[in-house]
Amino acid sequence: MSTTPPHQPDDRTGESPGAVATGRAGHNGVLAAMCLALVLVVASVSALNLALPDLAVDLSATNSSLTWIADAYTVALAALVLPLGAIGDRLGRRNVLVAGTVVFGAASLAGSFADSTTTLIVWRVVMGLGAAMIMPGTLSTITAAFPPEQRAKGVATWSGFAAAGAILGMLAAGALLEWYSWRSIFVTSAAVALVAALAAILLAPDTKDPHPEPPDVPGAVCTALGIGTLVFAIIEGNEQGWTQPPVIAALVVTVLAFTAYAWLGLRNEHPLLDPALFGIRGFRAGAITVLVQFMAVFGFFFVGLQYLQLILGYSPLKAAAALVPVAVVVLPVSQLTPRLVRRVGMKVTMTVGLALLSAGLFVISRIDVDSGYLPFLGGLVLAGFGIGLSGAVGTSAITGSLGRGQQGVASAMNDTTREVGSAVGIALMGSIYGSHYRSSLPASLDQLPADAAAAARDSAAAGLHVAEQLGAGGAALADGVKAAFMDGLSASLVVVGAIVLAAAVGCLFRAPKTPPTSD
């Protein structure tokens, strides 16, 4: 990716740093096209979470399989976003973005015909490949097209849609599931991919580096291998046990891969992502903030939606609507964040944002089977304020730490931290939830027929389905399954809430007081 000093002409446009590269509809058109493509990618991380109870029954999916169905897409996206962002620098970001919508749309359509968890996981991986082609060009096109004085507003809007897009995707999925099966989500995603391609072609400029650097193949392999094995270790460690040879091997490979990436990157003149950038305080603080925020948000969506559907009995659409308060809070707060940063500083805004997000998770971790929606809503609102503050300021810290000629690098880092955070969050919360759920199931489960008991251990959705089939005699089983689910939900929220709180403390002591600025 480009590492041109900030005062030289922009590598992507050939224009001076103050020039504006816009498509046929000006800045608003560029912003609309890029945010639509962004929402397509982000919504596909969260939309399928609403269908998890149906998938558990329809495809006989275990908790581990459900985690992989949700996370396969995100792992592929996180592992490939850096190298495919570099390809976009070379071939043109809009060109790669449009090609990505084709891959994404075709895989999504194919996924609608899946008849097993393995097949569905494979197509989710291919969708992640397409998403990794789409994602890098969205932010870097905005930062290239907007002049410095408007860039913070463009980045804030992008950040707002990055968070709210997950809710929009769940609302759309919820509406579809009211009348159609989970397969309709994949068909609709394919249609939206087509619209996103047309919008990018008509409204956005194509920007690229006219002097591309040599591809960093070792760096790409190390990052992809490290991310993939890390997520595998988290999911399978809780499923098989942390002392099992495959899990230990995955952890060893993770450490070796990231160590090799750092060692090679510091010795490569043109690394995929220079490890030395983490020496910049604003860049490092922004990356950590975005990482833990997305880890918390998408991990929470994975388990939180199941609470609304399985415990509160909400329909898919009602469950999605129950999360709308997050978007209602996030979008305006993210727009106000640049003004708040100018007034109180970046450190304070970052720290408060992460602290509020952590507080929201802890509030929700205290609910039980009989709590209802209002305590859940209180935690959502707290978390929403935290997401709006931390997401926008974290992204601005990353992009502001590097010059205009390095915005491709900044965008890639921002995308990578978001997707790695999402992948790790889904794996971590899903695995902690799954292990606590299984260990908290009542001993009376062993009195059921072997198939019924195995189904109940596989997932809470299957356990409640078994209880329903037992009629009046299944009431005790249903109560036990719900109690076990709440134990798993609480444990996963406490762990991730603690991680977010630790990040807040780190920002308080290590983040720069004022935001970095790029020319």
Side-chain angles (χ1 to χ4, degrees):
M1 289 192 174
S2 174
T3 55
T4 303
H7 294 291
Q8 291 186 7
D10 187 354
D11 279 344
R12 292 179 303 279
T13 63
E15 299 172 353
S16 65
V20 179
T22 59
R24 302 175 184 178
H27 296 132
N28 289 336
V30 173
L31 193 60
M34 294 302 99
C35 285
L36 175 61
L38 171 68
V39 168
L40 171 68
V41 172
V42 175
S44 295
V45 178
S46 61
L48 202 59
N49 289 335
L50 278 167
L52 293 178
D54 292 340
L55 287 168
V57 176
D58 192 21
L59 299 182
S60 300
T62 65
N63 278 324
S64 177
S65 295
L66 292 175
T67 303
W68 275 117
I69 289 170
D71 220 10
Y73 170 86
T74 315
V75 171
L77 172 55
L80 298 174
V81 70
L82 273 176
L84 289 173
I87 291 174
D89 289 345
R90 181 180 293 265
L91 302 180
R93 295 180 180 87
R94 188 186 65 185
N95 291 338
V96 173
L97 185 152
V98 172
T101 61
V102 174
V103 174
F104 182 101
S108 185
L109 188 61
S112 69
F113 296 99
D115 58 1
S116 69
T117 56
T118 301
T119 303
L120 187 56
I121 290 169
V122 168
W123 286 121
R124 287 280 286 172
V125 169
V126 181
M127 287 175 66
L129 166 64
M133 298 170 71
I134 297 169
M135 188 79 171
T138 58
L139 181 59
S140 58
T141 297
I142 291 171
T143 55
F146 279 60
E149 64 273 14
Q150 296 182 26
R151 198 174 301 149
K153 184 178 180 180
V155 170
T157 302
W158 185 94
S159 297
F161 274 98
I167 306 297
L168 295 174
M170 287 187 286
L171 281 172
L176 289 169
L177 291 172
E178 288 291 309
W179 294 281
Y180 307 106
S181 76
W182 58 266
R183 301 178 191 276
S184 63
I185 297 174
F186 289 87
V187 175
T188 303
S189 295
V192 175
L194 175 61
V195 175
L198 293 175
I201 292 170
L202 295 174
L203 301 177
D206 189 29
T207 60
K208 64 181 178 180
D209 185 350
H211 306 292
E213 295 163 349
D216 180 15
V217 176
V221 171
C222 287
T223 53
L225 186 62
I227 293 168
T229 53
L230 173 62
V231 172
F232 175 88
I234 293 172
I235 295 175
E236 297 303 323
N238 277 283
E239 182 73 16
Q240 301 180 24
W242 291 98
T243 59
Q244 292 299 308
V247 177
I248 295 174
L251 289 172
V252 170
V253 172
T254 299
V255 172
L256 292 176
F258 284 125
T259 301
Y261 157 74
W263 188 84
L264 292 170
L266 292 172
R267 289 158 178 76
N268 189 338
E269 290 186 15
H270 306 289
L272 189 63
L273 180 66
D274 190 353
L277 292 174
F278 289 96
I280 303 173
R281 289 179 66 194
F283 186 90
R284 182 174 63 246
I288 292 173
T289 297
V290 171
L291 178 78
V292 298
Q293 180 212 319
F294 271 70
M295 178 186 67
V297 169
F298 284 94
F300 169 73
F301 285 158
F302 179 76
V303 294
L305 280 167
Q306 294 184 71
Y307 165 77
L308 293 170
Q309 292 177 271
L310 300 178
I311 306 302
L312 298 188
Y314 286 5
S315 69
L317 181 58
K318 188 175 180 180
L323 294 179
V324 166
V326 174
V328 171
V329 172
V330 166
L331 282 172
V333 170
S334 64
Q335 290 293 307
L336 292 173
T337 298
R339 188 185 310 169
L340 185 62
V341 169
R342 289 193 296 270
R343 176 166 296 185
V344 303
M346 186 178 78
K347 174 186 287 192
V348 172
T349 307
M350 250 182 204
T351 302
V352 171
L354 290 174
L356 286 173
L357 175 55
S358 176
L361 296 175
F362 284 132
V363 167
I364 298 174
S365 75
R366 303 305 299 168
I367 63 179
D368 57 34
V369 172
D370 300 317
S371 294
Y373 178 66
L374 285 181
F376 185 87
L377 175 62
L380 276 186
V381 172
L382 275 176
F385 277 102
I387 294 166
L389 291 173
S390 60
V393 73
T395 297
S396 293
I398 293 172
T399 58
S401 296
L402 303 178
R404 184 178 174 86
Q406 293 178 291
Q407 286 306 299
V409 175
S411 175
M413 184 61 205
N414 186 71
D415 294 341
T416 301
T417 52
R418 285 171 181 266
E419 303 316 323
V420 170
S422 299
V424 171
I426 293 170
L428 183 61
M429 291 190 72
S431 299
I432 293 171
Y433 151 71
S435 62
H436 278 76
Y437 166 77
R438 287 191 300 274
S439 64
S440 300
L441 284 169
S444 59
L445 194 66
D446 294 332
Q447 299 174 8
L448 295 175
D451 290 346
R457 291 190 181 93
D458 283 344
S459 70
L464 292 175
H465 181 68
V466 169
E468 184 179 351
Q469 291 181 324
L470 293 175
L477 175 61
D479 290 342
V481 167
K482 289 181 179 180
F485 175 90
M486 295 307 300
D487 286 345
L489 174 68
S490 178
S492 64
L493 288 170
V494 167
V495 171
V496 173
I499 293 173
V500 176
L501 183 60
V505 173
C507 285
L508 178 63
F509 289 102
R510 300 300 299 170
K513 293 182 179 180
T514 57
T517 57
S518 61
D519 294 329

